[in-house]
Amino acid sequence: MSITTPAWSREAVMAACRPVPEERRVVTVLFVDIVGSTRLVERLDPEDVRALQRAYFGTVASVLRRWRGVVEKYVGDAVMALFGASDSDGLNAYRAVRAGLDIQAALARRRPAGVRLRVRVGVATGEVLLDLAEVRDGGHGAASGAVITTAARLQEHAPPGGVVLCPVTRSAVAGLVEQRPLATLTLAGKALPLDVWRVTGPAGSRTPRHRDPLVGRRRELASAVEEVARALRERRPRWISLVGPPGSGRSRLLHEVTRAVSSVDGVPVLRRVTSCPPYPCGELAPLADLVRPRPDDAVAEPGGLLAAFLAAPDDDTVAARAVVACRETLLGLAADAPMLVALDDLDRAAPALRRFLHQLYVAAGERGLPLAVVTTSGAGAADPLPAPTRRIPLEPLGPVDTGRLLRHLLDRAGRPAALAARLVPLVGGNPAVASAYAGADPAGEPGGVPAAARRLVDARLDRLDGTHRAVLLAGTARGGPVGAAVVEAMLGWPVGRAEPVLRALAAAGLVHPIAVGGWAVDGLVARVAALRLSRAVRADFARRLRDTEDSAAGRVPGAGTGVPSRGADERAVCPLGAGRSRRSGGGARPAPVPPNRLDRADALRPAPGRAGSGRPDRDGPLRAVPAQPVRAGPTTGILPRAAGRTGWRNVPRSDVTPGRWPGPSPAVTAWPEQRTGPPGGSGGNRRRTEPGGRPLGLAA
């Protein structure tokens, strides 16, 4: 299930970015620059220079739009674009590389003012801090991070007409493009040398290799094989759809199904298998793998339109003319022997290819041919499938099967199999995530999350609109189970707004309800979402929650924390993050709260009781009081230390009374108080401090 919003208007942009105005994201940066632009401009007339610039920038911008890149800035005749800034599909690096190749090809075909333009392209992937409103509004300077400089430096070392990649980008597009090592370079400002690769073009069609055993899918495999055998035996075409999220192992299951159905009742089965690569060069290009002759086919060599299509499958014009010939070829094969047609990643298929499969299926049913169509797709695929269709869902692997798969993957990677027990709860039953964790030590990755696993989760998060993602990020920042009231307090929302959003997130599989009330964020999703939170947003979340709890307890919001608090009216006018963007003129940021201390900062409270008269000017120095049993604060498991000592101590959660603050207790250490009102007066707010004078409530 995906949660999306309609097209962005300026007002919608600001409204969606208001809850969380900035995020840390992994993006791919493309930097393109003209070779020898200074010499070129010097020998041209100014009018020719203007025509050249318009043609160049227009061509580059057109290609970037086609590949969903966002132009971040123009630097002279250089263009910098971001991929994955406004949305992510897990293929940001691939789209950036394909855009670089298309820019080179488009400029080679176009000669503005009779001049052949040659450009260099550098592509780098890394983490940046994004101003979301600026990105969606097309503003410049929306991203900040070292990866921008890396992309610019790579471009300087690219050969004319070449596209070069950093190691992170190279890993993200492995198997999708043809590439070769270029050199090991020492870039200006980089402490360590960098391995650089040059892209030579998109990867050709190839059969995927499945080296790992099939684990935990016996029931799904048996069901799919039975459906295929029944369709072929009864000569009644049937469509079998293997449905699961990315990384669930649907491609591997399709491979096993085609292997298992080798014959039916002793009759060999013709198997035609293809896959849809991301963003294929031609809409019907995957069809060529289905109709290309095999050595054992009892048919003549293709001729006419079919031969022309096989010679140029990326040419949409030629492919459109050959559609009927391709369909009749497959129907003719099915008339001679049972046939299985398998297509991997149907949700990537172009509309023309989907129509072809539907027409093939209907025609086989009308003629009573033994044909079975098996496809794989994501759970959110909206394109209806023809009846009868058998949907076989791929649920997450259980802990036992996940452990078996991890032990095999760890053994193959030469890592201790004992790590499987620690990785099982992180994997979440997803085979692709298991492979990512087992293949490389994530200790060097941000947050301990492998890059491949983070790409999968980032794509899920970016399918959410700003409101749903803000709720998810707020729950992640809070840590542990979170309720609708807590989310509303952190986002400054009215009562009742968060509950339906949390239910929608649960339907999407990102959060789940817990028995004690509230909601818990999925483990891996929580890890990746936490990586998106900037320090300023974390501090705002913590301050808002602290102010709400102070108000509920009858305390002055912000008292005892040392952090100034905005009033309710100001929060209504100036939501979270306002006053910090470039357009609004900036403003003072609140003191950042370390991420790993949010729970402690939320739980810290002034000591509820005192010894003596309660007035420091009469009691003098802090006096020790005999320790007594005392109840804990609200659901935190943190108690004041024994009398005469500062700080807090942890207690088991079973000793905590949820949702209650016990009020004054004579057993709690007496803390000095400071008045903020006029000297000698009785008015003013009181703020509790530690004996050293520091306001109580700040993390040490």
Side-chain angles (χ1 to χ4, degrees):
M1 174 180 178
S2 62
I3 307 166
T4 57
T5 52
W8 291 101
S9 65
R10 174 64 181 170
E11 293 74 14
V13 167
M14 298 307 297
C17 294
R18 188 170 291 125
V20 182
E22 61 185 19
E23 288 185 19
R24 301 171 67 105
R25 291 193 186 182
V26 175
V27 302
T28 299
V29 181
L30 179 145
F31 219 96
V32 55
D33 197 6
I34 299 176
V35 177
S37 60
T38 303
R39 293 192 302 272
L40 181 63
V41 169
E42 286 181 348
R43 64 184 179 86
L44 291 178
D45 183 82
E47 294 185 19
D48 293 333
V49 172
R50 173 62 61 85
L52 183 69
Q53 289 175 333
R54 286 178 175 173
Y56 164 66
F57 288 122
T59 300
V60 172
S62 175
V63 173
L64 293 175
R65 281 194 301 270
R66 187 166 68 248
W67 290 102
R68 292 162 48 199
V70 177
V71 176
E72 209 269 355
K73 68 180 62 171
Y74 295 95
V75 185
D77 51 32
V79 182
M80 179 189 133
L82 304 176
F83 292 81
S86 57
D87 61 351
S88 172
D89 58 358
L91 297 165
N92 305 323
Y94 178 70
R95 287 189 285 115
V97 172
R98 287 292 302 273
L101 293 173
D102 282 5
I103 287 172
Q104 299 284 16
L107 292 176
R109 293 191 302 266
R110 188 172 184 179
R111 290 175 174 265
V115 177
R116 179 190 178 189
L117 286 179
R118 305 193 71 190
V119 296
R120 298 185 177 94
V121 178
V123 183
T125 302
E127 191 174 47
V128 298
L129 179 65
L130 282 174
D131 186 320
L132 300 183
E134 294 287 352
V135 169
R136 286 176 174 145
D137 195 38
H140 301 326
S144 303
V147 66
I148 296 174
T149 305
T150 301
R153 296 288 182 265
L154 286 174
Q155 173 270 137
E156 294 172 356
H157 291 275
V163 179
V164 298
L165 315 177
C166 73
V168 180
T169 307
R170 180 252 180 183
S171 176
V173 299
L176 298 176
V177 298
E178 300 291 346
Q179 50 188 316
R180 57 182 177 83
L182 182 62
T184 299
L185 304 176
T186 301
L187 304 182
K190 295 290 183 181
L192 299 175
L194 201 66
D195 293 332
V196 178
W197 280 261
R198 179 178 182 179
V199 179
T200 58
S205 176
R206 62 183 66 179
T207 302
R209 298 179 60 187
H210 300 282
R211 296 180 296 173
D212 304 323
L214 185 69
V215 176
R217 300 295 186 199
R218 292 183 179 179
R219 181 180 304 174
E220 293 88 345
L221 176 61
S223 298
V225 171
E226 180 183 358
E227 292 289 340
V228 171
R230 181 186 305 171
L232 300 182
R233 185 178 296 113
E234 298 176 357
R235 301 179 70 87
R236 297 176 59 186
R238 196 166 185 81
W239 193 303
I240 299 94
S241 177
L242 308 178
V243 181
S248 58
R250 60 196 189 194
S251 298
R252 177 59 195 277
L253 181 59
L254 178 66
H255 173 73
E256 293 297 330
V257 170
T258 57
R259 284 185 54 191
V261 187
S262 58
S263 63
V264 174
D265 297 337
V267 179
V269 174
L270 299 178
R271 294 169 289 186
R272 293 294 185 268
V273 183
T274 188
S275 63
C276 294
Y279 307 101
C281 297
E283 289 190 345
L284 291 170
L287 182 57
D289 292 332
L290 298 180
V291 298
R292 184 171 287 112
R294 306 295 198 274
D296 55 346
D297 286 348
V299 295
E301 285 295 319
L305 292 175
L306 186 59
F309 168 63
L310 293 177
D314 295 338
D315 191 328
D316 289 335
T317 302
V318 174
R321 296 172 181 169
V323 165
V324 175
C326 291
R327 183 170 65 247
E328 291 303 319
T329 298
L330 292 176
L331 292 174
L333 291 172
D336 295 335
M339 172 176 282
L340 168 64
V341 174
L343 178 70
D344 196 11
D345 291 318
L346 178 64
D347 36 13
R348 293 178 179 173
L353 183 57
R354 291 171 180 263
R355 286 195 300 271
F356 175 86
L357 287 177
H358 285 216
Q359 293 168 359
L360 175 69
Y361 181 75
V362 171
E366 293 174 349
R367 302 183 190 185
L369 300 178
L371 175 72
V373 178
V374 184
T375 60
T376 67
S377 63
D383 190 49
L385 299 178
T389 298
R390 171 68 189 279
R391 291 171 59 91
I392 300 179
L394 276 65
E395 302 294 338
L397 297 178
V400 175
D401 290 330
T402 302
R404 289 175 52 205
L405 178 61
L406 279 169
R407 284 190 292 272
H408 171 81
L409 295 172
L410 289 168
D411 179 69
R412 197 185 71 188
R415 302 180 65 195
L419 291 174
R422 183 170 61 87
L423 296 178
V424 165
L426 303 179
V427 167
N430 188 296
V433 176
S435 180
Y437 270 101
D441 186 2
E445 302 284 352
V449 180
R454 184 172 181 178
R455 285 195 296 270
L456 289 174
V457 179
D458 276 334
R460 297 182 66 188
L461 296 181
D462 282 340
R463 284 194 289 269
L464 306 176
D465 64 12
T467 299
H468 290 79
R469 192 163 63 245
V471 170
L472 194 65
L473 295 179
T476 301
R478 180 69 174 91
V482 64
V486 173
V487 170
E488 289 159 357
M490 298 175 75
L491 296 175
W493 284 357
V495 176
R497 184 178 177 187
E499 188 66 30
V501 178
L502 285 166
R503 288 197 296 267
L505 291 173
L510 297 170
V511 302
H512 57 271
I514 54 178
V516 296
W519 307 81
V521 184
D522 177 74
L524 182 60
V525 173
R527 282 172 168 254
V528 176
L531 295 175
R532 291 192 170 205
L533 291 169
S534 67
R535 293 193 298 268
V537 170
R538 286 180 180 273
D540 279 337
F541 279 157
R543 176 187 56 76
R544 283 177 172 273
L545 185 60
R546 185 169 52 244
D547 289 354
T548 302
E549 293 182 350
D550 283 346
S551 298
R555 294 183 294 271
V556 176
T561 64
V563 179
S565 173
R566 297 173 181 158
D569 294 340
E570 184 182 353
R571 284 196 299 269
V573 176
C574 186
L576 173 65
R580 293 203 307 268
S581 69
R582 299 170 194 74
R583 293 176 180 251
S584 59
R589 294 175 181 260
V593 176
N596 60 343
R597 297 191 177 181
L598 273 177
D599 288 340
R600 288 188 57 194
D602 295 343
L604 294 177
R605 293 287 179 272
R610 292 185 44 78
S613 66
R615 293 189 57 178
D617 55 342
R618 295 184 181 180
D619 294 337
L622 183 69
R623 297 189 300 165
V625 181
Q628 301 287 339
V630 63
R631 289 182 295 173
T635 67
T636 61
I638 298 180
L639 287 175
R641 288 187 181 274
R645 300 181 64 185
T646 62
W648 303 84
R649 64 183 177 85
N650 293 330
V651 296
R653 287 188 177 270
S654 58
D655 298 338
V656 177
T657 303
R660 297 186 58 191
W661 181 252
S665 170
V668 181
T669 303
W671 298 100
E673 293 180 345
Q674 295 179 348
R675 292 183 181 273
T676 59
S682 60
N685 299 326
R686 292 185 176 182
R687 181 173 64 177
R688 298 187 183 276
T689 62
E690 296 180 1
R694 189 176 66 178
L696 178 65
L698 292 178

